[in-house]
Amino acid sequence: MLKFLLICTLAVASRAEVGEEEDVLVLKKSNFDEALKAHPDILVEFYAPWCGHCKALGPEFAKAAGTLKAEGSAVRLGKVDATEETELAQEYGVRGYPTIKFFKGGEKESPKEYSAGRQADDIVAWLKKRTGPAVANLVEVTEAESLIADNEVAVIGFFKDADSAGAKAYEKAAETTDDIPFAITSDDAVFSKFEVTKDSVVLFKKFDEGRNTFDGELTKENLLAFVKANQLPLVIEFTEQTAPKIFGGEIKSHILMFLPKTASDFQDKMDQFKKAAEGFKGQILFIFIDSDVDDNQRILEFFGLKKEECPAIRLITLEDEMTKYKPESDAITADAIIGFCKLFIDGKLKPHLMSQDIPEDWDKNPVKILVGKNFEEIAFHSSKNVFIEFYAPWCGHCKQLTPIWDKLGEKYKDSADIIVAKMDSTANEIDSVKVHSFPTLKFFPAGDERKVIDYNGERTLEGFTKFLESGGKEGGAPAGDDDEDLDAEDLDDVEEGQDTDLDGDDDGHDEL
């Protein structure tokens, strides 16, 4: 999941002007404790001025602060420039931007991580849920109407007896849901207004069917599954605003349709895609990506697509190891998509691995060029010791390594049993090798055991030479002992050339 989320980074709008942010407290080390005393409940954004996601969040953060202030809420919003206030950033474990934490009751020791979307409504709803009752009590029709009108999604429990087992299960479900408001009513007029005749739970939304009524045994687990399956549109467009909902949800299987909005048959294909989505609620998330948008080109590249190849369908699972799938047919019809999804759910699809064509001159230079199609033959050659750099063309650390790697190739170009090679891992995928950061250096010793050794030593010609001359012992580690990956949110907006670690340390890797 980490890899795909980071590749989906978008260019975003400029941060709000100072006037728009006047309701957001500017926090520093010098006034932080005082602010917590004055405002016991405060949501704090740790940001970097150069961070694109922070710039996009700025206006929404300010809007949320203004909304809460206008409502007379005691909850405040604040911001910390983590590039200037490094002590505060380190104290609260900030390693990526934006990092958002909620300090409740004046407690500064263990703030709660913000876990909802990045639009003003999401922020306000999350804070109200955190500072108020998990379930609001509706006693008038106008209260129910306002709740539905003011929220993209809202859930109302209709229970004649608020102390019933069903009502208690409903409250438990509400307590574990941060991003959607829950309410309960036993008022006859509210029942009548929404044509509810018996105890029930209804999810109201401003898209698709407009409302969904729960049908089943009233348990916390069943209610949460119901909300999960219906809280997002049948088809959701990938944008900066929807990304947290897409990646933060429990549905980890996503089918993507790459299609330009300007296409003459756009609506027809969207209707087909939406029709197919109806049968996979809660199982597969259907996502639309506008292939004409410049900021989406990195996503197309990640799937090995070009603009001129769209429309196209791809499916991806965002589990510990990401897996991509490609339909055999290019047809974008409801029947074709449904068939593809059924094969996936039944476990009958083979992963789609990208590969460039083998260059004619792949072995002409001292550093050999590997692609997916010739990797197995070269890397696992029984009589060759093969040292491979897995790189990305945009990776700054890879560019720094290039002259050293070229010298290493030159040093061993006449060797009978050592091959120095490289592979562009953004365009080639190998089932037997998982790459999580760039550059990744792996050694494939001669033999039939298919051993793989990770190189973790110094990236110098001397260090590489000692490693190879020792048979992969000096500076090596068994494959799988890679540096620990940071969480996706930690790496949410690490730009090329920016160190991830705030203390200035650099592990020498650019994360995927």
Side-chain angles (χ1 to χ4, degrees):
M1 180 176 179
L2 168 64
K3 295 178 277 188
F4 186 44
L5 190 153
L6 294 177
I7 285 171
C8 291
T9 299
L10 301 174
V12 289
S14 298
R15 196 170 180 88
E17 298 296 329
V18 175
E20 294 177 295
E21 294 196 340
E22 59 186 11
D23 295 322
V24 178
L25 302 174
V26 178
L27 304 176
K28 302 175 181 292
K29 178 71 174 177
S30 59
N31 69 352
F32 198 80
D33 289 348
E34 181 183 341
L36 287 183
K37 290 179 183 177
H39 310 286
D41 295 335
I42 183 169
L43 185 70
V44 179
E45 174 203 2
F46 294 85
Y47 73 96
W50 46 260
C51 161
H53 288 297
C54 301
K55 293 174 183 176
L57 175 63
E60 296 297 322
F61 207 68
K63 183 179 177 182
T67 298
L68 290 167
K69 185 177 180 180
E71 292 179 355
S73 172
V75 180
R76 297 299 302 272
L77 275 67
K79 60 179 182 178
V80 174
D81 182 345
T83 65
E84 292 290 335
E85 301 297 326
T86 55
E87 281 188 48
L88 272 180
Q90 289 177 12
E91 182 178 351
Y92 292 106
V94 178
R95 290 176 60 83
Y97 310 107
T99 291
I100 308 172
K101 295 179 181 283
F102 181 51
F103 297 81
K104 186 175 182 180
E107 284 287 330
K108 61 175 291 188
E109 300 305 323
S110 54
K112 173 76 176 177
E113 292 287 341
Y114 176 75
S115 58
R118 293 183 183 174
Q119 291 181 295
D121 289 346
D122 298 322
I123 296 168
V124 171
W126 190 89
L127 287 169
K128 286 182 176 179
K129 201 71 175 288
R130 285 287 164 190
T131 55
V135 180
N137 186 33
L138 305 177
V139 296
E140 294 182 1
V141 169
T142 54
E143 292 177 336
E145 290 176 329
S146 295
L147 178 73
I148 295 167
D150 294 344
N151 294 279
E152 187 80 2
V153 179
V155 183
I156 299 179
F158 294 82
F159 295 97
K160 290 296 185 182
D161 180 4
D163 293 322
S164 66
K168 295 299 182 185
Y170 176 75
E171 288 180 10
K172 285 187 186 326
E175 288 168 359
T176 61
T177 307
D178 289 332
D179 54 344
I180 297 175
F182 279 62
I184 192 169
T185 186
S186 57
D187 184 76
D188 290 339
V190 180
F191 269 69
S192 177
K193 172 66 179 178
F194 295 100
E195 301 178 343
V196 176
T197 58
K198 62 180 181 179
D199 283 5
S200 185
V201 174
V202 181
L203 182 145
F204 296 89
K205 56 192 181 184
K206 295 179 179 177
F207 48 84
D208 296 340
E209 312 98 316
R211 64 185 276 177
N212 303 101
T213 301
F214 176 79
D215 181 20
E217 183 183 357
L218 285 166
T219 67
K220 171 187 170 183
E221 292 72 24
N222 289 345
L223 287 167
L224 289 174
F226 163 73
V227 172
K228 179 183 76 170
N230 293 288
Q231 71 181 101
L232 292 175
L234 282 171
V235 175
I236 183 169
E237 181 176 359
F238 178 83
T239 66
E240 173 72 20
Q241 287 71 38
T242 61
K245 293 180 181 179
I246 291 172
F247 294 113
E250 294 182 22
I251 304 174
K252 301 303 181 186
S253 299
H254 298 175
I255 186 168
L256 302 97
M257 178 172 68
F258 297 88
L259 174 69
K261 280 186 176 179
T262 55
S264 58
D265 59 349
F266 170 80
Q267 194 56 54
D268 177 62
K269 283 187 166 53
M270 183 61 75
D271 290 342
Q272 294 291 314
F273 197 54
K274 185 176 289 188
K275 183 178 179 182
E278 293 173 358
F280 298 96
K281 279 186 177 183
Q283 295 177 290
I284 301 174
L285 203 58
F286 279 62
I287 301 167
F288 156 66
I289 296 177
D290 188 347
S291 56
D292 267 351
V293 174
D294 289 341
D295 298 314
N296 289 340
Q297 298 313 301
R298 284 287 292 276
I299 310 176
L300 269 73
E301 292 172 16
F302 179 70
F303 284 92
L305 288 169
K306 297 177 181 177
K307 284 176 68 172
E308 53 269 25
E309 295 176 304
C310 296
I313 297 286
R314 293 293 186 271
L315 195 150
I316 186 169
T317 57
L318 304 179
E319 303 295 346
D320 291 338
E321 290 298 345
M322 209 174 31
T323 308
K324 291 180 274 189
Y325 301 90
K326 175 184 177 182
E328 290 186 5
S329 169
D330 292 333
I332 298 182
T333 64
D335 288 343
I337 296 167
I338 289 170
F340 178 53
C341 290
K342 284 183 176 178
L343 287 173
F344 166 73
I345 289 174
D346 292 340
K348 295 180 180 178
L349 289 180
K350 290 184 178 180
H352 172 63
L353 301 173
M354 295 189 301
S355 176
Q356 295 172 305
D357 291 329
I358 302 173
E360 292 184 5
D361 60 348
W362 73 271
D363 61 346
K364 178 181 178 181
N365 295 317
V367 175
K368 312 308 176 187
I369 299 173
L370 301 188
V371 296
K373 294 177 180 179
N374 68 350
F375 180 86
E376 285 280 327
E377 177 187 355
I378 305 303
F380 293 107
H381 195 292
S382 60
S383 64
K384 303 292 184 182
N385 296 289
V386 186
F387 198 13
I388 304 174
E389 175 201 5
F390 297 87
Y391 73 95
W394 46 260
C395 164
H397 293 295
C398 301
K399 293 173 183 177
Q400 293 171 11
L401 179 61
T402 296
I404 301 171
W405 202 249
D406 287 343
K407 288 179 182 177
L408 185 68
E410 187 69 31
K411 184 179 180 72
Y412 288 98
K413 68 178 182 180
D414 297 322
S415 172
D417 63 351
I418 292 178
I419 294 176
V420 178
K422 63 181 180 180
M423 189 176 84
D424 179 355
S425 285
T426 67
N428 300 278
E429 296 170 321
I430 308 299
D431 191 40
S432 57
V433 177
K434 302 301 180 184
V435 177
H436 298 282
S437 61
F438 299 125
T440 289
L441 307 176
K442 292 182 182 285
F443 179 59
F444 301 76
D448 297 321
E449 298 88 358
R450 294 175 65 87
K451 282 184 64 178
V452 183
I453 298 173
D454 289 327
Y455 179 77
N456 293 322
E458 293 183 358
R459 292 183 194 161
T460 62
L461 183 60
E462 182 181 2
F464 293 146
T465 301
K466 284 182 179 179
F467 176 71
L468 288 173
E469 297 297 334
S470 70
K473 294 178 181 177
E474 288 196 32
D481 291 348
D482 291 338
D483 292 345
E484 181 181 353
D485 284 336
L486 297 176
D487 290 339
E489 188 67 23
D490 291 338
L491 292 163
D492 201 21
D493 205 329
V494 178
E495 298 186 345
E496 184 178 333
Q498 297 287 350
D499 288 342
T500 302
D501 294 322
L502 296 178
D503 57 8
D505 293 338
D506 188 350
D507 70 355
H509 289 84
D510 281 338
E511 299 291 335
L512 267 165

